Amino acid sequence: MSRVIKVGGAQLGPIQRAESKESAVARMVALMEQAHREGCTFVVFPELALTTFFPRYYVEDPTEFAKFYEREMPNPVTRPLFEKSAEYGIGFYLGFAELAEEDGKTRHFNSSVLVDQSGRVVGKYRKVHLPGHGEFDPERSFQHLEKYYFEPGDYGFPVWRSMDGIFGMCLCNDRRWPETYRVMALQGVEFIALGYNTPSVNSQRPEERGDERIFHSDLTVQAGAYQNATFVAAIAKAGNEDGNPLIGGSIIVHPSGRVLARAETEEDELITAVCDLDDTIFYKQTIFDFARHRRPEHYTRIVEQTGVILPD
Ligand code: ING
């Protein structure tokens, strides 16, 4: 038996601050149409795919940036994407800034949705690992204020049975933390979709070369896929946003850790890979048969400690 899905990684080039959400959606619809022509049944878009990466800017009053958030998903701006999904029978992952009114409070998250091949929202994820800093930092060559504009996600790392497999999601910095993949793998995940917006330069280490960022992105995604016997699609918003460069390097990775497809540009670019979800079974039943091999009695520090406790 095989459970083949042809996956499209819909990398986006830059979204300038002045660009409208409608324009970004039109670009994503065009990529979904190309994915349809190429026989894809699932498409992964980037993190914060509707707007420029606004956490690079500091504003005194964060409500000034309310225009960058979505109150519901789908909504009139994104509906064309959901309509194409249902028309073509293509599921998708979409990253966006979420504004939620919950328990009488206004909350802000860096979120993503998983949409099935009927265009229905199957699940939502809220980014757990927020990188950067929570207030203006004059020492940095540019700001990375995700801790200022978002709060940590409160859903954990759920997975969903959909499209004949077990799917999970995460976002950008989450891919650098092995716990992200492992919590989903302990639920049987077979395909993890993630989008990212990763600056090409290090605001705290100017001498760091651009290819170092691509190397670390590949390293974390390939390791996450292999060590957890799952496919991972890691898809960028790339290129130069108002003078701020973001890496490309979108990849689709097999549970063996091998890269099946890689973007070559920093523009709107569709990469594709034929993924047989049954390819995860061998790894889950042998080298990464968690029930047979893991020894959680020795892992307690991982959940009991946040930071490092040095030896005497
Ligand atoms: N961006 C970056 C990322 O994790 C970053 C921030 C880059 C942190 C490099 C550490 C090193 O890819 C987002 N949006 O998380």
Side-chain angles (χ1 to χ4, degrees):
M1 207 257 280
S2 73
R3 291 175 294 143
V4 172
I5 48 169
K6 187 166 183 184
V7 174
Q11 174 178 287
L12 286 176
I15 299 180
Q16 306 309 328
R17 186 169 175 172
E19 184 170 341
S20 70
K21 292 179 185 178
E22 287 77 5
S23 164
V25 169
R27 289 166 54 186
M28 286 188 270
V29 166
L31 286 165
M32 190 176 269
E33 285 168 344
Q34 181 186 350
H36 175 58
R37 290 194 299 276
E38 297 189 21
C40 297
T41 50
F42 186 67
V43 169
V44 181
F45 291 110
E47 171 190 36
L48 295 176
L50 298 168
T51 68
T52 196
F53 185 72
F54 64 86
R56 69 166 68 92
Y57 303 110
Y58 177 73
V59 284
E60 197 67 41
D61 172 5
T63 59
E64 226 186 278
F65 275 3
K67 63 184 179 220
F68 288 124
Y69 294 80
E70 311 306 319
R71 288 179 175 274
E72 63 270 331
M73 188 58 70
N75 60 34
V77 169
T78 57
R79 187 155 303 285
L81 214 45
F82 286 76
E83 286 167 353
K84 279 294 170 198
S85 160
E87 180 188 343
Y88 291 149
I90 296 180
F92 66 94
Y93 161 105
L94 178 72
F96 64 99
E98 179 190 7
L99 188 153
E101 304 292 351
E102 287 175 353
D103 314 323
K105 284 195 322 181
T106 302
R107 307 180 69 191
H108 301 80
F109 298 99
N110 186 344
S111 300
S112 63
V113 283
L114 179 68
V115 179
D116 70 13
Q117 287 145 348
S118 69
R120 191 177 55 85
V121 174
V122 169
K124 182 164 66 175
Y125 169 72
R126 290 170 166 174
K127 185 174 184 178
V128 167
H129 299 99
L130 297 173
H133 45 110
E135 53 194 40
F136 183 78
D137 178 351
E139 298 302 309
R140 290 171 179 251
S141 53
F142 57 87
Q143 304 301 300
H144 196 114
L145 289 158
E146 290 195 54
K147 297 180 194 288
Y148 180 62
Y149 290 112
F150 304 117
E151 57 183 284
D154 55 351
Y155 291 161
F157 300 102
V159 301
W160 296 269
R161 283 189 184 282
S162 179
M163 297 175 278
D164 203 17
I166 300 176
F167 284 74
M169 297 188 271
C170 66
L171 277 154
C172 204
N173 197 256
D174 286 323
R175 75 188 187 286
R176 301 178 191 278
W177 302 94
E179 296 85 348
T180 300
Y181 304 94
R182 186 50 52 91
V183 169
M184 287 189 268
L186 286 165
Q187 302 171 78
V189 78
E190 298 169 318
F191 195 102
I192 296 175
L194 73 95
Y196 61 88
N197 288 206
T198 300
S200 306
V201 295
N202 185 329
S203 62
Q204 298 170 293
R205 179 187 274 182
E207 66 275 18
E208 183 175 305
R209 298 194 338 274
D211 60 354
E212 187 90 344
R213 287 275 158 119
I214 294 279
F215 167 68
H216 287 149
S217 190
D218 289 353
L219 181 67
T220 52
V221 172
Q222 287 179 264
Y226 170 63
Q227 291 172 338
N228 295 281
T230 177
F231 286 89
V232 183
I235 308 303
K237 168 143 61 70
N240 191 312
E241 292 192 335
D242 299 287
N244 300 278
L246 298 171
I247 65 169
S250 301
I251 50 175
I252 300 171
V253 181
H254 185 270
S256 63
R258 298 284 184 186
V259 175
L260 298 175
R262 180 188 296 278
E264 289 161 10
T265 73
E266 291 188 344
E267 296 302 325
D268 293 8
E269 178 181 349
L270 183 77
I271 60 174
T272 64
V274 175
C275 301
D276 183 350
L277 299 181
D278 279 355
D279 283 0
T280 62
I281 294 172
F282 173 76
Y283 299 93
K284 290 182 190 291
Q285 290 182 348
T286 57
I287 185 166
F288 294 111
D289 179 344
F290 288 171
R292 221 152 38 93
H293 299 308
R294 290 185 72 246
R295 308 291 341 151
E297 65 273 20
H298 299 300
Y299 305 162
T300 47
R301 284 183 185 275
I302 290 178
V303 287
E304 287 179 356
Q305 281 179 227
T306 302
V308 171
I309 298 176
L310 295 171
D312 295 339

